[in-house]
Amino acid sequence: MPKRRCSKTSLTDVYILEPTYESAPMLSLSMVVRNEESRLGACLASVKGFVDEIVLVDTGSTDATVAIAEAAGARIEHLPWPGDFAPARNAALNLITGDWVLVLDADEQLRAEAISGLQNLMAQPDVLVINLLRFEQGATMAPYSNVSRLFRRHPRIHWSRPYHSMIDDSVRDLLSEEPHWRIVDYLEPALLHEGYRPDLLQSSNKSQRLRTAMEAWLAEHPGDPYTCAKLGALEVDEGQKERGIQLLRQGLKQNENTNANPIERYELLLHLGIALAQDDPQGAVTAYREAVALPMDIRVSLGARLNLAALLMQQELLDEAIALTTTATQQAPEVALAWYNLGLMQRRRGNLVEALYAYEQAKQLNPEHAETHQNHAVAMLVAGDINGARNSFSKAITLLQRQGRSKESEGLRHQVAGIVKLNEEEK
C-alpha cells in the first residue's frame, strides 16, 4: 500500500490526503498520426520529462513524421488507415505498457504549468480519468473544451464513436460495475489545440469527413444527442439552418429522455442558440440561458455566456450583459473576446474608464484585432484623448490593410479624416 501524505493540490484550496509511491506511475503517450511533420516536434517536446513511453501509430506518412518521432525516442508502429479514429486509437492503446495513458493529436501541446497538478492526480489510487481543459486557439465561439485524454490503463476502457472518438461510453459502463472509481476535472487549461483555427479548417476536408461519419452513425442511432450536436452544428455553419435546428432539437429531446451528460446538452444548446440568434433572438436567449445554467466550468460554457451577453446588450439589458461578461473575464482572463465585448458594453453604458481598461486588456491579448483598436480609439476620443485616439485609429487602419481588408481600411480612414488628423503614413 502506498504511504499517504497531506498536501495541497492545484485544483482546490482544501488540503487532502494524497498517496505517495516508491516510484511514480508509469505514463505512456499514445498517438495516431499521418503526415504531421510540421507540428509533431512541438507536440512531443511539450511532454518531454512527463511521459515515460511514447507509442506512435503511423497510418501512412510520406513526409518526415516517422523520423521526427524516432528522434524523440518514440516506438513506431504502422497501421493502414482503418477509416475512423476509434479503431486506430484502440490499436494504439493496445500497444502501450504504462499504468496511465495520455492521448494527444499532433496539433495539440501539453502546457508545462499543468504537469505538477496532473502528476498529483495520477497518484491518487481511486482516480480513473482526468478530464483535461483544452484551449482551442483561434476558436472564438467556444475557446475551451473538456476532453477525456488522460486515464488509467484499464482493460475495459476503449474508444468508440465516429470521427470525434471518445472513451466516455466504455467509462460509463465500467463505473456501473466498479463505482469506486473517480472521474476528475482538471480545472486549469492543460492542452493547447490549434486544429480549429479558421485557416487550418479552410485548408482541410474536415467538414466533409465529419458529415460522412456523422450521417452514417445517425442512420444507425436515430436521435443520438452526440451525433445531432455535431451534424446539426455543421448544417447551421454551412447555411442549412432549418435542417440544423431540427437535428439540434431532436438531440435535446433524446438527451432529456436518456438523462445524458451536461456537456452533450450544452453543445446542443450552444449551437441551437447560434442557429436562432438572427431570426428568433428570444429563442436564442432561452437556449443560452439554459446552457449557462448547466453544472459546468465557466471556461467550458464561455461561448454560450458571451453569446447570451451579446444578445442582451442588443436588447439594452446592459446590467445583466456586463455581469455575465465580467464573470467571464474574471474566470478566463486570457480570452481576448471577453475583454473586447466588455469594452463595448461599458462604453455603451458610458463607463469610459472601465471601457478603456477592457480594451487595453483585449489589445494585449490579441494585438492583431483591428476592431479592438478601432473601438479603443472611439473611447479615447470620447474621453478627450485626441492623440491616443489618433494612434489607435492609425493602428486599426494599418491592421485592416495588412489583413487584406482594404475596403474597410479605406472606409475607416475616410470616416476618421474629418475627426482627427491621422499619422502621416495613414494619409
Side-chain angles (χ1 to χ4, degrees), residues 109-142:
Q109 295 177 35
L110 181 72
R111 296 182 71 241
E113 297 86 345
I115 289 176
S116 176
L118 295 177
Q119 287 173 328
N120 286 338
L121 288 172
M122 289 166 56
Q124 297 184 32
D126 61 342
V127 172
L128 180 70
V129 178
I130 303 171
N131 291 326
L132 302 181
L133 192 62
R134 187 174 70 178
F135 180 52
E136 309 290 354
Q137 300 179 94
T140 56
M141 190 60 64

mmCIF file of all heavy atoms in Angstrom, residues 109-142:
data_model
loop_
_atom_site.group_PDB
_atom_site.id
_atom_site.type_symbol
_atom_site.label_atom_id
_atom_site.label_comp_id
_atom_site.label_asym_id
_atom_site.label_seq_id
_atom_site.Cartn_x
_atom_site.Cartn_y
_atom_site.Cartn_z
ATOM 1 N N GLN A 109 -0.641 20.448 -27.740
ATOM 2 C CA GLN A 109 0.544 20.521 -26.888
ATOM 3 C C GLN A 109 0.100 20.562 -25.428
ATOM 4 O O GLN A 109 -0.921 21.157 -25.100
ATOM 5 C CB GLN A 109 1.373 21.775 -27.205
ATOM 6 C CG GLN A 109 1.975 21.795 -28.595
ATOM 7 C CD GLN A 109 2.724 23.080 -28.874
ATOM 8 O OE1 GLN A 109 3.348 23.659 -27.973
ATOM 9 N NE2 GLN A 109 2.669 23.543 -30.114
ATOM 10 N N LEU A 110 0.900 19.935 -24.579
ATOM 11 C CA LEU A 110 0.650 19.964 -23.142
ATOM 12 C C LEU A 110 1.286 21.211 -22.554
ATOM 13 O O LEU A 110 2.442 21.530 -22.853
ATOM 14 C CB LEU A 110 1.236 18.717 -22.487
ATOM 15 C CG LEU A 110 1.033 18.588 -20.980
ATOM 16 C CD1 LEU A 110 -0.428 18.273 -20.657
ATOM 17 C CD2 LEU A 110 1.950 17.504 -20.415
ATOM 18 N N ARG A 111 0.552 21.931 -21.711
ATOM 19 C CA ARG A 111 1.100 23.104 -21.046
ATOM 20 C C ARG A 111 1.961 22.659 -19.870
ATOM 21 O O ARG A 111 1.536 21.858 -19.031
ATOM 22 C CB ARG A 111 -0.006 24.036 -20.559
ATOM 23 C CG ARG A 111 -0.851 24.631 -21.663
ATOM 24 C CD ARG A 111 -1.897 25.578 -21.102
ATOM 25 N NE ARG A 111 -1.303 26.802 -20.591
ATOM 26 C CZ ARG A 111 -1.377 27.208 -19.341
ATOM 27 N NH1 ARG A 111 -2.012 26.473 -18.438
ATOM 28 N NH2 ARG A 111 -0.825 28.347 -18.958
ATOM 29 N N ALA A 112 3.175 23.187 -19.790
ATOM 30 C CA ALA A 112 4.097 22.803 -18.725
ATOM 31 C C ALA A 112 3.527 23.101 -17.341
ATOM 32 O O ALA A 112 3.795 22.377 -16.379
ATOM 33 C CB ALA A 112 5.429 23.533 -18.921
ATOM 34 N N GLU A 113 2.709 24.176 -17.252
ATOM 35 C CA GLU A 113 2.149 24.574 -15.967
ATOM 36 C C GLU A 113 1.208 23.521 -15.395
ATOM 37 O O GLU A 113 0.916 23.540 -14.198
ATOM 38 C CB GLU A 113 1.394 25.897 -16.112
ATOM 39 C CG GLU A 113 2.247 27.086 -16.525
ATOM 40 C CD GLU A 113 2.419 27.212 -18.025
ATOM 41 O OE1 GLU A 113 2.123 26.239 -18.755
ATOM 42 O OE2 GLU A 113 2.871 28.282 -18.461
ATOM 43 N N ALA A 114 0.723 22.612 -16.244
ATOM 44 C CA ALA A 114 -0.256 21.625 -15.785
ATOM 45 C C ALA A 114 0.385 20.350 -15.245
ATOM 46 O O ALA A 114 -0.277 19.563 -14.562
ATOM 47 C CB ALA A 114 -1.203 21.265 -16.928
ATOM 48 N N ILE A 115 1.655 20.136 -15.522
ATOM 49 C CA ILE A 115 2.266 18.835 -15.264
ATOM 50 C C ILE A 115 2.236 18.452 -13.785
ATOM 51 O O ILE A 115 1.856 17.329 -13.427
ATOM 52 C CB ILE A 115 3.706 18.810 -15.814
ATOM 53 C CG1 ILE A 115 3.667 18.798 -17.347
ATOM 54 C CG2 ILE A 115 4.474 17.593 -15.279
ATOM 55 C CD1 ILE A 115 5.026 18.865 -18.012
ATOM 56 N N SER A 116 2.602 19.359 -12.910
ATOM 57 C CA SER A 116 2.668 19.032 -11.484
ATOM 58 C C SER A 116 1.297 18.625 -10.943
ATOM 59 O O SER A 116 1.163 17.617 -10.232
ATOM 60 C CB SER A 116 3.213 20.228 -10.699
ATOM 61 O OG SER A 116 3.205 19.966 -9.318
ATOM 62 N N GLY A 117 0.268 19.391 -11.285
ATOM 63 C CA GLY A 117 -1.073 19.065 -10.817
ATOM 64 C C GLY A 117 -1.571 17.740 -11.360
ATOM 65 O O GLY A 117 -2.227 16.969 -10.644
ATOM 66 N N LEU A 118 -1.255 17.447 -12.614
ATOM 67 C CA LEU A 118 -1.674 16.182 -13.202
ATOM 68 C C LEU A 118 -0.962 15.005 -12.543
ATOM 69 O O LEU A 118 -1.561 13.950 -12.303
ATOM 70 C CB LEU A 118 -1.401 16.185 -14.709
ATOM 71 C CG LEU A 118 -2.211 17.197 -15.523
ATOM 72 C CD1 LEU A 118 -1.797 17.153 -16.992
ATOM 73 C CD2 LEU A 118 -3.703 16.954 -15.380
ATOM 74 N N GLN A 119 0.307 15.172 -12.224
ATOM 75 C CA GLN A 119 1.041 14.100 -11.543
ATOM 76 C C GLN A 119 0.434 13.803 -10.182
ATOM 77 O O GLN A 119 0.330 12.644 -9.773
ATOM 78 C CB GLN A 119 2.509 14.500 -11.405
ATOM 79 C CG GLN A 119 3.272 14.453 -12.722
ATOM 80 C CD GLN A 119 4.676 15.012 -12.605
ATOM 81 O OE1 GLN A 119 4.933 15.927 -11.808
ATOM 82 N NE2 GLN A 119 5.597 14.488 -13.396
ATOM 83 N N ASN A 120 0.026 14.851 -9.467
ATOM 84 C CA ASN A 120 -0.624 14.651 -8.168
ATOM 85 C C ASN A 120 -1.910 13.849 -8.306
ATOM 86 O O ASN A 120 -2.192 12.943 -7.508
ATOM 87 C CB ASN A 120 -0.927 15.998 -7.510
ATOM 88 C CG ASN A 120 0.311 16.680 -6.957
ATOM 89 O OD1 ASN A 120 1.317 16.023 -6.697
ATOM 90 N ND2 ASN A 120 0.247 17.985 -6.796
ATOM 91 N N LEU A 121 -2.712 14.180 -9.312
ATOM 92 C CA LEU A 121 -3.973 13.477 -9.503
ATOM 93 C C LEU A 121 -3.756 12.035 -9.940
ATOM 94 O O LEU A 121 -4.470 11.128 -9.498
ATOM 95 C CB LEU A 121 -4.831 14.214 -10.537
ATOM 96 C CG LEU A 121 -5.437 15.541 -10.065
ATOM 97 C CD1 LEU A 121 -6.096 16.262 -11.231
ATOM 98 C CD2 LEU A 121 -6.441 15.302 -8.955
ATOM 99 N N MET A 122 -2.772 11.799 -10.796
ATOM 100 C CA MET A 122 -2.486 10.431 -11.240
ATOM 101 C C MET A 122 -2.055 9.544 -10.080
ATOM 102 O O MET A 122 -2.242 8.320 -10.126
ATOM 103 C CB MET A 122 -1.390 10.454 -12.312
ATOM 104 C CG MET A 122 -1.831 11.022 -13.649
ATOM 105 S SD MET A 122 -0.411 11.399 -14.724
ATOM 106 C CE MET A 122 0.407 9.813 -14.776
ATOM 107 N N ALA A 123 -1.484 10.135 -9.063
ATOM 108 C CA ALA A 123 -1.006 9.353 -7.920
ATOM 109 C C ALA A 123 -2.117 8.925 -6.982
ATOM 110 O O ALA A 123 -1.896 8.100 -6.087
ATOM 111 C CB ALA A 123 0.036 10.161 -7.140
ATOM 112 N N GLN A 124 -3.323 9.445 -7.157
ATOM 113 C CA GLN A 124 -4.428 9.086 -6.277
ATOM 114 C C GLN A 124 -5.045 7.768 -6.752
ATOM 115 O O GLN A 124 -5.470 7.659 -7.901
ATOM 116 C CB GLN A 124 -5.453 10.212 -6.241
ATOM 117 C CG GLN A 124 -4.866 11.500 -5.667
ATOM 118 C CD GLN A 124 -5.889 12.605 -5.521
ATOM 119 O OE1 GLN A 124 -7.062 12.328 -5.267
ATOM 120 N NE2 GLN A 124 -5.443 13.844 -5.660
ATOM 121 N N PRO A 125 -5.102 6.756 -5.901
ATOM 122 C CA PRO A 125 -5.416 5.401 -6.336
ATOM 123 C C PRO A 125 -6.848 5.183 -6.817
ATOM 124 O O PRO A 125 -7.133 4.178 -7.456
ATOM 125 C CB PRO A 125 -5.137 4.551 -5.087
ATOM 126 C CG PRO A 125 -5.285 5.493 -3.947
ATOM 127 C CD PRO A 125 -4.806 6.815 -4.441
ATOM 128 N N ASP A 126 -7.772 6.116 -6.550
ATOM 129 C CA ASP A 126 -9.150 5.906 -6.986
ATOM 130 C C ASP A 126 -9.528 6.750 -8.206
ATOM 131 O O ASP A 126 -10.670 6.750 -8.635
ATOM 132 C CB ASP A 126 -10.128 6.199 -5.847
ATOM 133 C CG ASP A 126 -10.044 7.634 -5.348
ATOM 134 O OD1 ASP A 126 -9.018 8.300 -5.624
ATOM 135 O OD2 ASP A 126 -10.997 8.095 -4.691
ATOM 136 N N VAL A 127 -8.555 7.481 -8.751
ATOM 137 C CA VAL A 127 -8.828 8.298 -9.937
ATOM 138 C C VAL A 127 -8.674 7.441 -11.184
ATOM 139 O O VAL A 127 -7.639 6.817 -11.410
ATOM 140 C CB VAL A 127 -7.900 9.524 -10.007
ATOM 141 C CG1 VAL A 127 -8.072 10.255 -11.340
ATOM 142 C CG2 VAL A 127 -8.191 10.462 -8.843
ATOM 143 N N LEU A 128 -9.702 7.424 -11.993
ATOM 144 C CA LEU A 128 -9.715 6.630 -13.218
ATOM 145 C C LEU A 128 -9.440 7.475 -14.450
ATOM 146 O O LEU A 128 -8.661 7.090 -15.321
ATOM 147 C CB LEU A 128 -11.073 5.938 -13.374
ATOM 148 C CG LEU A 128 -11.264 5.066 -14.617
ATOM 149 C CD1 LEU A 128 -10.402 3.805 -14.527
ATOM 150 C CD2 LEU A 128 -12.749 4.690 -14.781
ATOM 151 N N VAL A 129 -10.093 8.637 -14.533
ATOM 152 C CA VAL A 129 -9.982 9.522 -15.691
ATOM 153 C C VAL A 129 -9.779 10.949 -15.218
ATOM 154 O O VAL A 129 -10.426 11.396 -14.260
ATOM 155 C CB VAL A 129 -11.262 9.456 -16.559
ATOM 156 C CG1 VAL A 129 -11.157 10.421 -17.751
ATOM 157 C CG2 VAL A 129 -11.522 8.046 -17.053
ATOM 158 N N ILE A 130 -8.877 11.667 -15.880
ATOM 159 C CA ILE A 130 -8.680 13.091 -15.630
ATOM 160 C C ILE A 130 -9.098 13.829 -16.893
ATOM 161 O O ILE A 130 -8.447 13.701 -17.939
ATOM 162 C CB ILE A 130 -7.213 13.414 -15.275
ATOM 163 C CG1 ILE A 130 -6.768 12.595 -14.059
ATOM 164 C CG2 ILE A 130 -7.048 14.907 -15.015
ATOM 165 C CD1 ILE A 130 -5.277 12.697 -13.772
ATOM 166 N N ASN A 131 -10.200 14.568 -16.808
ATOM 167 C CA ASN A 131 -10.648 15.367 -17.946
ATOM 168 C C ASN A 131 -9.783 16.612 -18.056
ATOM 169 O O ASN A 131 -9.608 17.344 -17.077
ATOM 170 C CB ASN A 131 -12.116 15.769 -17.779
ATOM 171 C CG ASN A 131 -13.049 14.583 -17.891
ATOM 172 O OD1 ASN A 131 -12.796 13.663 -18.649
ATOM 173 N ND2 ASN A 131 -14.124 14.598 -17.121
ATOM 174 N N LEU A 132 -9.261 16.853 -19.241
ATOM 175 C CA LEU A 132 -8.340 17.962 -19.460
ATOM 176 C C LEU A 132 -9.052 19.124 -20.131
ATOM 177 O O LEU A 132 -9.774 18.950 -21.114
ATOM 178 C CB LEU A 132 -7.164 17.511 -20.331
ATOM 179 C CG LEU A 132 -6.342 16.333 -19.798
ATOM 180 C CD1 LEU A 132 -5.207 16.005 -20.745
ATOM 181 C CD2 LEU A 132 -5.811 16.627 -18.396
ATOM 182 N N LEU A 133 -8.825 20.318 -19.605
ATOM 183 C CA LEU A 133 -9.357 21.531 -20.204
ATOM 184 C C LEU A 133 -8.439 21.918 -21.364
ATOM 185 O O LEU A 133 -7.229 22.101 -21.181
ATOM 186 C CB LEU A 133 -9.421 22.639 -19.164
ATOM 187 C CG LEU A 133 -10.200 23.901 -19.530
ATOM 188 C CD1 LEU A 133 -11.667 23.581 -19.792
ATOM 189 C CD2 LEU A 133 -10.077 24.938 -18.421
ATOM 190 N N ARG A 134 -9.020 22.025 -22.556
ATOM 191 C CA ARG A 134 -8.233 22.293 -23.764
ATOM 192 C C ARG A 134 -8.576 23.662 -24.326
ATOM 193 O O ARG A 134 -9.741 23.980 -24.537
ATOM 194 C CB ARG A 134 -8.513 21.212 -24.810
ATOM 195 C CG ARG A 134 -7.633 21.298 -26.045
ATOM 196 C CD ARG A 134 -7.861 20.109 -26.965
ATOM 197 N NE ARG A 134 -9.182 20.161 -27.604
ATOM 198 C CZ ARG A 134 -9.617 19.253 -28.481
ATOM 199 N NH1 ARG A 134 -8.843 18.226 -28.790
ATOM 200 N NH2 ARG A 134 -10.802 19.372 -29.023
ATOM 201 N N PHE A 135 -7.543 24.475 -24.552
ATOM 202 C CA PHE A 135 -7.730 25.801 -25.127
ATOM 203 C C PHE A 135 -7.701 25.682 -26.642
ATOM 204 O O PHE A 135 -6.716 25.245 -27.233
ATOM 205 C CB PHE A 135 -6.630 26.752 -24.648
ATOM 206 C CG PHE A 135 -6.751 28.147 -25.203
ATOM 207 C CD1 PHE A 135 -7.943 28.845 -25.094
ATOM 208 C CD2 PHE A 135 -5.680 28.751 -25.831
ATOM 209 C CE1 PHE A 135 -8.061 30.125 -25.604
ATOM 210 C CE2 PHE A 135 -5.788 30.034 -26.347
ATOM 211 C CZ PHE A 135 -6.984 30.725 -26.228
ATOM 212 N N GLU A 136 -8.821 26.065 -27.271
ATOM 213 C CA GLU A 136 -8.968 25.961 -28.715
ATOM 214 C C GLU A 136 -8.482 27.262 -29.353
ATOM 215 O O GLU A 136 -9.221 28.231 -29.483
ATOM 216 C CB GLU A 136 -10.432 25.703 -29.078
ATOM 217 C CG GLU A 136 -11.078 24.540 -28.332
ATOM 218 C CD GLU A 136 -10.535 23.197 -28.772
ATOM 219 O OE1 GLU A 136 -9.748 23.154 -29.727
ATOM 220 O OE2 GLU A 136 -10.905 22.180 -28.158
ATOM 221 N N GLN A 137 -7.216 27.286 -29.760
ATOM 222 C CA GLN A 137 -6.637 28.503 -30.303
ATOM 223 C C GLN A 137 -7.323 28.882 -31.618
ATOM 224 O O GLN A 137 -7.400 28.087 -32.539
ATOM 225 C CB GLN A 137 -5.135 28.307 -30.532
ATOM 226 C CG GLN A 137 -4.380 27.977 -29.257
ATOM 227 C CD GLN A 137 -2.905 27.752 -29.476
ATOM 228 O OE1 GLN A 137 -2.105 28.661 -29.340
ATOM 229 N NE2 GLN A 137 -2.539 26.537 -29.824
ATOM 230 N N GLY A 138 -7.812 30.118 -31.679
ATOM 231 C CA GLY A 138 -8.464 30.589 -32.889
ATOM 232 C C GLY A 138 -9.942 30.305 -32.951
ATOM 233 O O GLY A 138 -10.625 30.769 -33.867
ATOM 234 N N ALA A 139 -10.495 29.554 -31.988
ATOM 235 C CA ALA A 139 -11.926 29.244 -31.996
ATOM 236 C C ALA A 139 -12.627 30.218 -31.056
ATOM 237 O O ALA A 139 -12.722 29.979 -29.861
ATOM 238 C CB ALA A 139 -12.174 27.806 -31.553
ATOM 239 N N THR A 140 -13.113 31.337 -31.599
ATOM 240 C CA THR A 140 -13.695 32.379 -30.754
ATOM 241 C C THR A 140 -15.043 31.960 -30.175
ATOM 242 O O THR A 140 -15.440 32.417 -29.112
ATOM 243 C CB THR A 140 -13.884 33.675 -31.555
ATOM 244 O OG1 THR A 140 -14.685 33.403 -32.712
ATOM 245 C CG2 THR A 140 -12.550 34.236 -32.001
ATOM 246 N N MET A 141 -15.797 31.097 -30.883
ATOM 247 C CA MET A 141 -17.131 30.736 -30.418
ATOM 248 C C MET A 141 -17.088 29.859 -29.173
ATOM 249 O O MET A 141 -17.897 29.998 -28.271
ATOM 250 C CB MET A 141 -17.880 30.019 -31.546
ATOM 251 C CG MET A 141 -19.347 29.810 -31.249
ATOM 252 S SD MET A 141 -20.207 31.373 -30.994
ATOM 253 C CE MET A 141 -20.034 32.105 -32.619
ATOM 254 N N ALA A 142 -16.149 28.934 -29.112
ATOM 255 C CA ALA A 142 -16.030 28.039 -27.960
ATOM 256 C C ALA A 142 -14.547 27.842 -27.668
ATOM 257 O O ALA A 142 -13.944 26.855 -28.098
ATOM 258 C CB ALA A 142 -16.709 26.700 -28.237
#
